[in-house]
Amino acid sequence: MAAIYERVALIGLGLIASSMSHAMRAKGLAAEITGHARSAETRRIAAEIGLCDRVYETAAEAVQGADLVVLCVPVGAMGEVAAEIAPHLRPGATLTDVGSVKQAVIEAVGPHVPEGVHFIPGHPLAGTEHSGPRSGFATLFENRWCLLVPVEGTAPEAVARLRRLWEEMGSNVEEMDAAHHDLVLAVTSHTPHLIAYTMVGVADDLRRVTDSEVIKYSAAGFRDFTRIAASDPTMWRDVFLTNKEATLEILGRFTEELFALQRAIRTGDGAHLHEYFTRTRAIRRGIIEAGQDTAAPDFGRIKVGS
Amino acid sequence: MAAIYERVALIGLGLIASSMSHAMRAKGLAAEITGHARSAETRRIAAEIGLCDRVYETAAEAVQGADLVVLCVPVGAMGEVAAEIAPHLRPGATLTDVGSVKQAVIEAVGPHVPEGVHFIPGHPLAGTEHSGPRSGFATLFENRWCLLVPVEGTAPEAVARLRRLWEEMGSNVEEMDAAHHDLVLAVTSHTPHLIAYTMVGVADDLRRVTDSEVIKYSAAGFRDFTRIAASDPTMWRDVFLTNKEATLEILGRFTEELFALQRAIRTGDGAHLHEYFTRTRAIRRGIIEAGQDTAAPDFGRIKVGS
Ligand SMILES: NC(=O)c1ccc[n+]([C@@H]2O[C@H](COP(=O)([O-])OP(=O)(O)OC[C@H]3O[C@@H](n4cnc5c(N)ncnc54)[C@H](OP(=O)(O)O)[C@@H]3O)[C@@H](O)[C@H]2O)c1
Ligand SMILES: NC(=O)c1ccc[n+]([C@@H]2O[C@H](COP(=O)([O-])OP(=O)(O)OC[C@H]3O[C@@H](n4cnc5c(N)ncnc54)[C@H](OP(=O)(O)O)[C@@H]3O)[C@@H](O)[C@H]2O)c1
């Protein structure tokens, strides 16, 4: 297929950027891909495995001449990167990002965007617990949603072009406003991650149960939480600090419901528990019917060591 | 191989019993398998798919002449089933169970066990989110732990024989006392399940985010919780009602830690969050090294619809 963009600059070369590179390459969606990451080590790996046609030492160099610039750094770093590259953006270029929070990115990046550059915030709902330049793969975005959050007055052709890129990488694209995005993600992603981190922290803390017991007997449920709680600490610190309000709201509701269930356990209210546990089953069915997860037992996970 | 038991009676014919049946058959561990389940429908399915050599209408009939009886019913039903079968147990037989809680089962079943019958409570740490007679498979117990909780004074030969059965079905067997079992499982299984149920309940409740959004965008983390929260409501109601004390203790610690993280978010204490999220990563590595989960991204789960 003819390339959708002539030169794509990826700033930050971790899981998302490397997956984009593989996906764009697999289908010839970008004539050229440049890149930059903060550390020399990541840049070295990116060069070694050929992630980009050219890896630059600075973000400013990497974006020169690009008609698409994608910010693939942690949410908390978006503002400083935007400030650095702003003077070097080509007029008519599109600037997008893949950050997990949208209002904070718009506030941090928006003010730096020069006249004539199309700023279209985005967020692919696709990831794994791994990170870094070696963790990407071309099919990461297949059959996953990508949310675009265009700010008011954005040129429709620019949005359509970016949408086409995501669609060609396998995503289903939807548009949404930033505040709603942040609330939806607080429910479907941010709060679940915080809770998983907490559960794993509790297990790790408990003196009367040893770490080795927690590890040995983890297949009874706990290990699912550890996958999520193995995600990148910097990325997640930034998510919680920048989507504070929505996360705290959902956490408040979570605590309320948890207290109600706790009370039911204490008072022996089996009917309440049974009814609650029956209701939550339906959501799982919905997710499987929507093609967002497998019905295979245990995710059809690969059994190790057997 | 020569059968370890002459006649094994499975009382309750759901996920665990049907997996035991397939596993014993695959290796000829039982010369004969009888079975009973409460509903005519389950008994009909069990007969249709040949789960047992004979399916009986009552538990009393099913256990007659058996040298191993396995209680595979929800924890809350163990006492009444034990009372019913007690007069029909063969002297010298072993009575075991697979319940997820051990102190409550010992209290409920113990008093009914006749002189001359070896009562050896057990718990295979293996399961999936599916239930019923069709959900079992022969490899469920492979490379999983099975905990035996023999009560004082149990004949060592009887314990050794039961241990051999579980080992031949692929499990690693360990002995533990009942109170410690219930605490360890509260950490590695019961509390994680309650928390997953709660998170799914919260998402389902939220008016400002629709169910269809929760479902569509679930791959960002939430869907992992829905798998666990799709487990059988009766089984889990019974677990919480019978392992009340340990579950409430771990929930208390969970809430404490959650509040600390919540405060860190509110006050913008990024260092605390980063440090916490870094610590929890190590546990995941331990689980993978111990062969209790796969290192493949996303559990190596099968991607649907792509
Ligand atoms: N992982 C997911 O599941 C997921 C899903 C959807 C969206 N996102 C979002 O995607 C973005 C990237 O996440 P990721 O998973 O790809 O992260 P990652 O694998 O940890 O990679 C992050 C990259 O950003 C670079 N970086 C960090 N700070 C920088 C700075 N100040 N200047 C320049 N580069 C910097 C890092 O460079 P070094 O390697 O040199 O440190 C690294 O190359 C985040 O905003 C995240 O919220 C993640
Ligand atoms: N699922 C897991 O992940 C897992 C893991 C380890 C241990 N366990 C424990 O294993 C036991 C069985 O769980 P499971 O997952 O196999 O459950 P399941 O698939 O829901 O099957 C339960 C079976 O028990 C029968 N039953 C229920 N109440 C009964 C009664 N009063 N009298 C006779 N039969 C009765 C049911 O009969 P009907 O079909 O006729 O209702 C059904 O055949 C539970 O104690 C559970 O705690 C479960």
Side-chain angles (χ1 to χ4, degrees), chain A residues 13-16 38-39 42 72-74 77 98-100 123-124 126-127 131-132 235:
Chain A
L13 295 170
L15 170 69
I16 301 296
R38 182 182 45 176
S39 69
T42 297
C72 305
V73 299
V98 297
S100 306
H123 179 201
S131 54
M235 166 183 163

Side-chain angles (χ1 to χ4, degrees), chain B residues 8 40 61 88 102 115 138 178-179 183 185 202 205 216 302-303:
Chain B
V8 176
E61 292 168 280
H88 307 277
K102 295 273 61 83
E115 197 66 34
L183 180 65
L185 269 289
V202 167
D205 256 13
K216 266 160 89 170
I302 301 151
K303 208 159 178 174

Side-chain angles (χ1 to χ4, degrees), chain A residues 159-228:
Chain A
V159 177
R161 196 169 163 206
L162 183 59
R163 171 189 276 267
R164 205 148 66 77
L165 177 71
W166 281 109
E167 285 172 351
E168 289 296 337
M169 290 193 292
S171 289
N172 305 310
V173 177
E174 202 130 299
E175 289 179 31
M176 195 179 271
D177 77 63
H180 192 66
H181 169 279
D182 289 356
L183 180 65
V184 169
L185 268 290
V187 176
T188 57
S189 179
H190 307 168
T191 307
H193 272 80
L194 193 75
I195 281 164
Y197 277 119
T198 309
M199 187 65 233
V200 177
V202 168
D204 189 33
D205 258 12
L206 217 72
R207 294 248 181 67
R208 286 200 290 138
V209 176
T210 65
D211 270 9
S212 78
E213 284 175 316
V214 165
I215 286 169
K216 266 161 88 172
Y217 307 134
S218 60
F222 180 67
R223 65 177 173 167
D224 284 23
F225 287 69
T226 65
R227 186 188 76 79
I228 288 186

Side-chain angles (χ1 to χ4, degrees), chain A residues 277-306:
Chain A
F277 300 164
T278 303
R279 190 157 61 81
T280 53
R281 268 192 152 172
I283 290 254
R284 177 77 187 161
R285 262 196 305 276
I287 288 173
I288 289 165
E289 280 160 20
Q292 291 299 311
D293 208 346
T294 169
D298 248 341
F299 306 117
R301 88 209 306 154
I302 301 152
K303 207 159 181 176
V304 277
S306 61

Side-chain angles (χ1 to χ4, degrees), chain A residues 61-81:
Chain A
E61 292 167 280
V63 305
Q64 249 146 35
D67 50 355
L68 178 67
V69 174
V70 191
L71 305 181
C72 305
V73 299
V75 170
M78 297 274 180
E80 63 181 277
V81 172

Side-chain angles (χ1 to χ4, degrees), chain A residues 230-246:
Chain A
S231 302
D232 187 66
T234 304
M235 166 183 163
W236 284 99
R237 175 202 61 197
D238 286 5
V239 165
F240 296 120
L241 293 181
T242 58
N243 197 20
K244 188 183 285 206
E245 225 175 285

